[in-house]
Amino acid sequence: MNRQRLEQLREIHRAGLLDDVVPFWERHSVDREHGGFFTCLARDGSLYSTDKPVWLQGRATWLFATLYDRVAPRAEWLDLARRGCEFMNRHCFDERGKMYFLVTRDGRPLRMRRYVYSEVFATLGYAALAKVTGDADIRRRAIEVFNTFLRYTRTPGLTEPKMNPQVRPLTSLSPRMCLLNMADVMLAIDDDPRYERLIDECVTDVFRDFVRLDEGCVIEHVGPGGERVDAPEGRVMNPGHAIEVAWFMMEIGRRRGDRALVVRGAKILDLSLARGWDPQYGGLLYFLDVDGKPATQLEHDMKLWWPHSEALYATLLAYHLTGDAKYAGLYEQVHEWTFAHFPDREFGEWFGYLHRDGTVSTPLKGNIWKGPFHIPRALLYCWKLLEEMAS
Amino acid sequence: MNRQRLEQLREIHRAGLLDDVVPFWERHSVDREHGGFFTCLARDGSLYSTDKPVWLQGRATWLFATLYDRVAPRAEWLDLARRGCEFMNRHCFDERGKMYFLVTRDGRPLRMRRYVYSEVFATLGYAALAKVTGDADIRRRAIEVFNTFLRYTRTPGLTEPKMNPQVRPLTSLSPRMCLLNMADVMLAIDDDPRYERLIDECVTDVFRDFVRLDEGCVIEHVGPGGERVDAPEGRVMNPGHAIEVAWFMMEIGRRRGDRALVVRGAKILDLSLARGWDPQYGGLLYFLDVDGKPATQLEHDMKLWWPHSEALYATLLAYHLTGDAKYAGLYEQVHEWTFAHFPDREFGEWFGYLHRDGTVSTPLKGNIWKGPFHIPRALLYCWKLLEEMAS
């Protein structure tokens, strides 16, 4: 990539973030009356539901605190992050300290789920806000929620698995993927040596059990000894997840000056794109069966906003850290498809759900999973990396 | 429809059932070693999983018993139905008598779910087999499983709802739709007067709360007083469900000689097709928001095998019972799209999951929901009705 292209891309990501995506959420998602964030937004930003998904309260908190930290110390961003944090404090925990999945506009609990992914994003949100405010109470919250996540994912029997563990015991990539990122974020506010140790454990687990370099795939679920399980759930690959793992590893490698980890992360990216990129229509498939059997998820061949957002940053980071021109080519491939299909030129922000052929399946801008997170994170991280690369 | 067309359609349905669909499942789904039925079949019928979904054990049992009853008393059909029944007896109930959702090939329990839809299809299977065998033990099983369904759907708190019932209490169409059909089937083996009473209650509930003739829609979930709930789950319509309700009502009306019920059932069909038929590509949408807000299900605009199967029989039955030529036109519309897109001319049987534009999303022939049920039921019922109409 020449200097001109780097500068052009830098401006595309900066403008996408600050002139389009962030203003869209600032305009439509803030609940000035009850606090917290709406995310069930139709194409034009109008609300089709006032229910508040808890994942997105943590994610929005993370975003606004991180914009304050990395873009500019604007009072309104800090205020929005604080409002997200307060809404979580007040309404998103049950009496055991476990977080809900969905609450009403005014914070009454609608759904609790088995797992602890609300805790993942709350950890990111609290930690980002604790970092910029230095507030001891918020810092304490971050540590508590991180501990809840650890307890629920590591205490056998505490999270009821989908499949009967006596008959088909499975271990999963997701909690390890989340933990890699959470621990890396926690390091900014807590000097407890456990975080580096947890990261090491995750890296070991992920490469021993889930990343299959010989087979060229990343598997979501394996048996308790890391063995392949010959059932649909034991053959499923989620290329977007694998790409997130790839860049989390590369970021940790960069921070630690661990070149070998960067290279291993880049290898995950290679195989994720080799497996996940749709040879017919382009773009990343959502789920696939690594043995070429039929994927069982109805949405398996849809193109979603978040794997593409993650792939933008992962390819750019791989290019920057390895210097291998291959990744510049992969970045451009992802960039071209993503920017050609996802942004909504009429109402702003990005569509989230496309059919396999790239046409829009639903025009909504947000729901209980899509909110102000993957797109602005990728735009911010790419922009800042491109600044570094251009200088 | 003239006589020639009736005879042509009769042959299409007969041949589809007996020369294609039934042989496909006979060939690929029978587990001669452990009993029961495989349903996780790839395009060519090869297995991609040996796990056995419990819904499909009951459904396959129903199919083979019903073929024995209505097509020909072939010993192999009776044997297959008995094998399904025995597999359920032996492996599909937990210690409380509640049925699992998924078991392994050899019958070890993999998943229990909150709700009691396994019981719906087990009731149909046991009842159909009890009818053709007169076996008192199987009849007793049918009644027991029917009672389990009633207990779980009518005892507050016994089935944990998805949404917190203190904050958002909802009542749903699904159990009422199922009960309409189950009670009608139970009448063939049990002269308890409660079944007609239960049907009357369901008809009343469905028309009072879920079918909104003034708004031209059928809603899946309402508040406890039948009121509209302004949230995505309170605005969702599933045209396939509504079409099943329509023909269940028409069948009950036909059996009872209740012309008013036939006409009311046909009205549900009218509005289901008016709402659900895709004006752009044809075919029935899977989910929609009755207020025109974005549907939240990722698969909302996919075209699935079962709503189309149900619509074939519903339109034909409406034509036969009302004599209104409009329904002949609607039948032909459904027939044309369905037979143009779903049957797999190369490997037999039908694809299950198409994109909105009618292209195939996954080539699988079966999974934990798709098995030998909706398609052969529609083909059988249409064939037999066309015989009646042609004679």
Side-chain angles (χ1 to χ4, degrees):
Chain A
M1 276 185 204
N2 61 32
R3 181 170 197 86
Q4 196 192 348
R5 180 62 177 152
L6 289 176
E7 286 173 359
Q8 185 187 37
L9 289 173
R10 186 187 61 192
E11 175 55 17
I12 288 171
H13 286 90
R14 189 208 59 76
L17 181 73
L18 298 183
D19 302 340
D20 176 17
V21 172
V22 169
F24 185 91
W25 294 100
E26 288 174 323
R27 206 156 43 232
H28 301 295
S29 82
V30 181
D31 183 354
R32 302 265 165 215
E33 193 177 333
H34 292 276
F37 300 93
F38 302 119
T39 63
C40 294
L41 307 184
R43 183 177 179 188
D44 62 0
S46 62
L47 292 178
Y48 64 84
S49 170
T50 58
D51 293 345
K52 289 174 182 160
V54 177
W55 290 19
L56 278 306
Q57 305 306 310
R59 285 169 162 188
T61 302
W62 175 87
L63 176 66
F64 290 110
T66 302
L67 290 173
Y68 181 87
D69 186 35
R70 297 199 54 189
V71 178
R74 290 190 199 158
E76 67 265 35
W77 284 339
L78 189 60
D79 178 55
L80 289 175
R82 281 193 192 281
R83 295 165 64 88
C85 170
E86 278 157 27
F87 189 85
M88 288 194 288
N89 294 349
R90 199 170 298 168
H91 302 297
C92 297
F93 294 84
D94 79 358
E95 66 288 352
R96 299 165 297 175
K98 190 168 183 301
M99 297 186 82
Y100 295 110
F101 176 73
L102 188 68
V103 300
T104 59
R105 180 178 181 184
D106 58 357
R108 285 167 301 142
L110 282 170
R111 280 187 81 180
M112 173 58 83
R113 298 192 80 158
R114 293 175 297 117
Y115 46 65
V116 278
Y117 293 115
S118 292
E119 282 79 354
V120 171
F121 306 109
T123 298
L124 301 187
Y126 284 126
L129 186 58
K131 184 181 174 210
V132 296
T133 59
D135 184 313
D137 204 55
I138 299 169
R139 181 177 169 280
R140 187 182 47 74
R141 286 264 186 186
I143 295 168
E144 272 174 17
V145 177
F146 182 89
N147 288 342
T148 303
F149 174 87
L150 272 193
R151 190 169 74 251
Y152 274 87
T153 54
R154 302 193 154 204
T155 312
L158 200 54
T159 307
E160 194 198 342
K162 224 171 173 176
M163 289 276 176
N164 181 350
Q166 263 77 54
V167 176
R168 185 164 296 157
L170 294 171
T171 35
S172 299
L173 175 60
S174 287
R176 289 164 177 86
M177 178 195 98
C178 291
L179 191 52
L180 270 178
N181 185 226
M182 291 162 79
D184 205 42
V185 167
M186 287 299 290
L187 278 168
I189 60 157
D190 188 10
D191 60 7
D192 191 321
R194 69 174 176 163
Y195 298 110
E196 292 287 15
R197 208 173 54 233
L198 286 166
I199 289 170
D200 289 339
E201 283 175 28
C202 283
V203 169
T204 302
D205 286 2
V206 166
F207 277 104
R208 189 191 56 221
D209 295 341
F210 301 96
V211 174
R212 307 269 167 156
L213 290 178
D214 51 333
E215 299 178 85
C217 64
V218 177
I219 297 174
E220 287 286 317
H221 311 283
V222 296
E227 69 278 16
R228 284 278 298 265
V229 174
D230 189 26
E233 62 276 14
R235 297 189 302 260
V236 70
M237 173 165 174
N238 179 324
H241 268 183
I243 289 167
E244 275 193 280
V245 169
W247 80 250
F248 292 167
M249 297 259 190
M250 288 189 280
E251 278 291 13
I252 293 162
R254 167 157 86 151
R255 177 174 57 72
R256 290 178 171 181
D258 179 347
R259 169 119 194 122
L261 188 56
V262 168
V263 171
R264 294 174 92 191
K267 282 220 172 92
I268 301 178
L269 178 60
D270 294 346
L271 65 87
S272 304
L273 290 168
R275 285 277 190 163
W277 193 259
D278 182 352
Q280 195 174 348
Y281 293 102
L284 287 160
L285 298 165
Y286 197 27
F287 291 104
L288 51 91
D289 182 295
V290 296
D291 292 344
K293 294 180 179 174
T296 54
Q297 298 78 9
L298 274 63
E299 67 274 25
H300 72 106
D301 69 353
M302 291 179 75
K303 310 289 166 67
L304 271 66
W305 81 104
W306 70 264
H308 294 80
S309 301
E310 300 304 321
L312 282 174
Y313 185 59
T315 49
L316 193 67
L317 185 63
Y319 176 51
H320 178 59
L321 296 182
T322 68
D324 188 336
K326 170 178 80 175
Y327 295 109
L330 288 171
Y331 170 82
E332 293 289 1
Q333 175 187 327
V334 173
H335 179 99
E336 189 188 344
W337 205 94
T338 302
F339 282 88
H341 291 90
F342 285 100
D344 178 0
R345 317 264 172 226
E346 198 175 337
F347 290 95
E349 235 271 339
W350 292 20
F351 297 114
Y353 300 87
L354 312 180
H355 299 120
R356 181 172 180 187
D357 67 5
T359 55
V360 174
S361 165
T362 167
L364 60 76
K365 291 296 161 51
N367 57 18
I368 57 176
W369 302 288
K370 183 176 186 288
F373 187 62
H374 291 281
I375 300 166
R377 181 170 76 173
L379 293 172
L380 172 65
Y381 283 20
C382 286
W383 166 30
K384 292 295 164 182
L385 187 63
L386 285 156
E387 272 190 355
E388 201 179 321
M389 291 163 77
S391 72
Chain B
M1 275 185 206
N2 61 31
R3 181 168 196 87
Q4 195 192 349
R5 181 62 178 152
L6 289 176
E7 286 172 1
Q8 184 187 37
L9 288 173
R10 188 187 58 191
E11 175 54 19
I12 288 171
H13 285 91
R14 190 208 58 78
L17 181 73
L18 297 183
D19 302 342
D20 176 18
V21 172
V22 170
F24 185 91
W25 294 100
E26 287 175 323
R27 206 156 44 232
H28 301 296
S29 82
V30 181
D31 184 355
R32 302 266 165 213
E33 193 177 333
H34 292 277
F37 300 93
F38 302 120
T39 63
C40 294
L41 307 184
R43 183 177 179 187
D44 62 0
S46 62
L47 292 178
Y48 64 84
S49 171
T50 58
D51 294 344
K52 290 176 182 154
V54 178
W55 290 19
L56 278 306
Q57 306 305 310
R59 285 169 163 189
T61 302
W62 175 88
L63 176 67
F64 290 111
T66 302
L67 290 172
Y68 181 86
D69 186 34
R70 297 199 54 189
V71 178
R74 290 191 199 159
E76 67 263 37
W77 284 340
L78 188 60
D79 179 56
L80 289 175
R82 282 195 191 279
R83 295 165 65 88
C85 171
E86 279 156 26
F87 189 86
M88 287 195 289
N89 293 349
R90 200 171 296 167
H91 302 298
C92 297
F93 294 84
D94 78 359
E95 66 290 351
R96 298 166 297 174
K98 190 169 184 298
M99 297 187 82
Y100 295 110
F101 176 74
L102 188 69
V103 301
T104 59
R105 180 179 180 184
D106 57 357
R108 286 168 299 141
L110 282 170
R111 279 187 82 180
M112 173 58 84
R113 299 191 81 157
R114 292 176 297 116
Y115 46 67
V116 279
Y117 293 115
S118 292
E119 282 78 355
V120 171
F121 305 110
T123 299
L124 301 187
Y126 284 125
L129 186 57
K131 183 180 174 212
V132 295
T133 59
D135 184 314
D137 204 55
I138 299 169
R139 180 177 168 280
R140 188 182 47 74
R141 285 265 186 186
I143 295 169
E144 273 174 17
V145 177
F146 182 88
N147 289 340
T148 303
F149 174 87
L150 271 192
R151 190 168 74 251
Y152 273 88
T153 53
R154 301 191 154 204
T155 312
L158 199 54
T159 308
E160 195 198 341
K162 223 168 173 179
M163 288 278 175
N164 181 351
Q166 264 77 55
V167 176
R168 184 165 297 157
L170 294 171
T171 35
S172 299
L173 175 61
S174 287
R176 289 165 178 85
M177 178 195 95
C178 292
L179 190 52
L180 270 179
N181 186 225
M182 292 162 77
D184 205 41
V185 167
M186 288 299 291
L187 278 168
I189 59 157
D190 188 9
D191 59 7
D192 191 321
R194 68 174 176 161
Y195 298 109
E196 293 286 16
R197 207 173 54 233
L198 286 166
I199 289 171
D200 289 338
E201 283 176 29
C202 282
V203 170
T204 302
D205 286 2
V206 167
F207 277 104
R208 190 190 55 221
D209 295 341
F210 301 97
V211 174
R212 307 267 168 159
L213 292 177
D214 51 332
E215 298 179 86
C217 63
V218 177
I219 298 174
E220 287 286 317
H221 311 283
V222 296
E227 69 278 16
R228 284 278 300 264
V229 173
D230 190 26
E233 61 277 14
R235 296 189 303 260
V236 70
M237 173 165 175
N238 179 325
H241 267 184
I243 289 167
E244 276 192 281
V245 170
W247 80 251
F248 292 168
M249 297 260 189
M250 288 189 281
E251 278 291 13
I252 292 162
R254 167 156 84 151
R255 178 175 57 72
R256 291 179 169 181
D258 180 348
R259 170 117 196 126
L261 188 56
V262 168
V263 171
R264 293 174 92 190
K267 282 219 173 95
I268 300 178
L269 179 60
D270 294 345
L271 65 86
S272 303
L273 291 167
R275 283 280 188 162
W277 194 260
D278 182 352
Q280 195 173 349
Y281 292 102
L284 287 161
L285 297 166
Y286 198 26
F287 291 104
L288 50 90
D289 182 295
V290 297
D291 292 343
K293 294 180 179 176
T296 54
Q297 298 79 8
L298 274 62
E299 67 274 26
H300 72 106
D301 69 354
M302 290 179 75
K303 309 289 164 69
L304 270 67
W305 80 103
W306 69 265
H308 295 80
S309 302
E310 300 305 321
L312 282 175
Y313 184 58
T315 49
L316 193 65
L317 185 64
Y319 176 51
H320 178 59
L321 297 181
T322 68
D324 188 336
K326 170 178 81 174
Y327 295 110
L330 288 171
Y331 170 82
E332 294 289 2
Q333 175 187 327
V334 173
H335 179 99
E336 189 188 345
W337 205 92
T338 302
F339 282 87
H341 291 90
F342 285 100
D344 178 0
R345 316 264 172 226
E346 199 175 337
F347 291 94
E349 236 269 340
W350 292 19
F351 297 114
Y353 300 88
L354 311 180
H355 300 120
R356 181 173 180 186
D357 66 5
T359 55
V360 174
S361 166
T362 168
L364 61 76
K365 290 294 160 54
N367 57 19
I368 55 176
W369 301 286
K370 183 175 185 290
F373 188 62
H374 291 280
I375 300 167
R377 181 171 74 173
L379 293 172
L380 172 65
Y381 283 20
C382 286
W383 167 30
K384 292 294 166 184
L385 187 62
L386 285 156
E387 272 190 353
E388 200 179 323
M389 291 162 77
S391 71

